[in-house]
Amino acid sequence: HTASTSPSGSVRVVWTASVAVEFAQTPDANFATPALVPQRDYEKSKVGNWFLAAALAKQCPEILSIVQNPGNLKTQIVRHFSSIVPLLAAPLLYHAKYGAYTELWAGLSENLTLQDNGCYVVPWGRLHPAPRADTAGPVQDLLENDFGVAADFREFCETATVKYR
């Protein structure tokens, strides 16, 4: 309702991805099928969030819908890994407040406009300068022509969630 009573572009939906988008397998026709490998399914969920951000951008062009990667943060995310992983990862991690900077920029920056609909925001608050073509391509296919892997994923999600509406 808020979007219908507010100026175009003043309402935002910020989705969350992660660095996993950068390492995910190329999305293909089986993208919506669970890999049954926790890391692959996690990657798919983060790429899927970008696809859903683009789907909302396509469906509601008056809403700014973007996805953001909060960054590599010192959080409890590594608690389920072997004890060596936190030690090895520590030099690559930043204080969690930096993730908040990314999220705040994505949610509040006046630099973002409807022209950025469906975009990917990277740490610490900037548009991704060169997203992978094999991941960004399906986003563009959905935004421009409403077809492809991202559009198929949107349809899968619509079908899978219809009974919960």
Side-chain angles (χ1 to χ4, degrees), residues 26 30-31 36 58-59 80 98 106 155 157:
T26 300
N30 296 316
F31 183 76
L36 304 178
K58 177 75 173 177
Q59 180 181 352
H80 300 297
Y98 289 99
E155 292 304 316
C157 291

Side-chain angles (χ1 to χ4, degrees), residues 112-137:
L112 293 172
T113 70
L114 287 174
Q115 299 297 331
D116 301 309
N117 233 343
C119 75
Y120 183 56
V121 173
V122 294
W124 311 116
R126 58 195 169 96
L127 295 178
H128 196 310
R132 286 178 35 198
D134 63 342
T135 308

Side-chain angles (χ1 to χ4, degrees), residues 14-26:
V14 179
W15 303 73
T16 298
S18 79
V19 72
V21 169
E22 303 297 335
F23 304 107
Q25 292 181 338
T26 300

Side-chain angles (χ1 to χ4, degrees), residues 40-62:
R40 293 290 169 245
D41 287 334
Y42 177 79
E43 292 167 2
K44 284 184 171 192
S45 76
K46 299 307 160 192
V47 173
N49 282 350
W50 188 7
F51 289 174
L52 293 175
L56 181 62
K58 177 75 173 177
Q59 180 181 352
C60 302
E62 72 281 2

Side-chain angles (χ1 to χ4, degrees), residues 95-154:
H95 191 282
K97 70 182 177 185
Y98 289 99
Y101 296 155
T102 306
E103 294 168 3
L104 287 168
W105 188 85
L108 301 171
S109 175
E110 294 178 2
N111 295 331
L112 293 172
T113 70
L114 287 174
Q115 299 297 331
D116 301 309
N117 233 343
C119 75
Y120 183 56
V121 173
V122 294
W124 311 116
R126 58 195 169 96
L127 295 178
H128 196 310
R132 286 178 35 198
D134 63 342
T135 308
V139 169
Q140 286 307 116
D141 289 343
L142 186 151
L143 289 171
E144 294 172 5
N145 303 307
D146 204 21
F147 79 91
V149 174
D152 293 346
F153 182 70
R154 177 202 55 216

Side-chain angles (χ1 to χ4, degrees), residues 38-103:
Q39 181 61 34
R40 293 290 169 245
D41 287 334
Y42 177 79
E43 292 167 2
K44 284 184 171 192
S45 76
K46 299 307 160 192
V47 173
N49 282 350
W50 188 7
F51 289 174
L52 293 175
L56 181 62
K58 177 75 173 177
Q59 180 181 352
C60 302
E62 72 281 2
I63 296 174
L64 180 57
S65 178
I66 58 176
V67 68
Q68 58 88 26
N69 165 13
N72 299 331
L73 308 174
K74 291 178 188 171
T75 67
Q76 292 298 311
I77 198 166
V78 293
R79 70 187 175 280
H80 300 297
F81 292 99
S82 68
S83 59
I84 191 73
V85 172
L87 294 172
L88 295 173
L92 305 173
L93 303 178
Y94 295 85
H95 191 282
K97 70 182 177 185
Y98 289 99
Y101 296 155
T102 306
E103 294 168 3

Side-chain angles (χ1 to χ4, degrees), residues 152-165:
D152 293 346
F153 182 70
R154 177 202 55 216
E155 292 304 316
F156 165 80
C157 291
E158 290 286 338
T159 302
T161 61
V162 71
K163 65 183 176 185
Y164 301 105
R165 289 185 231 150

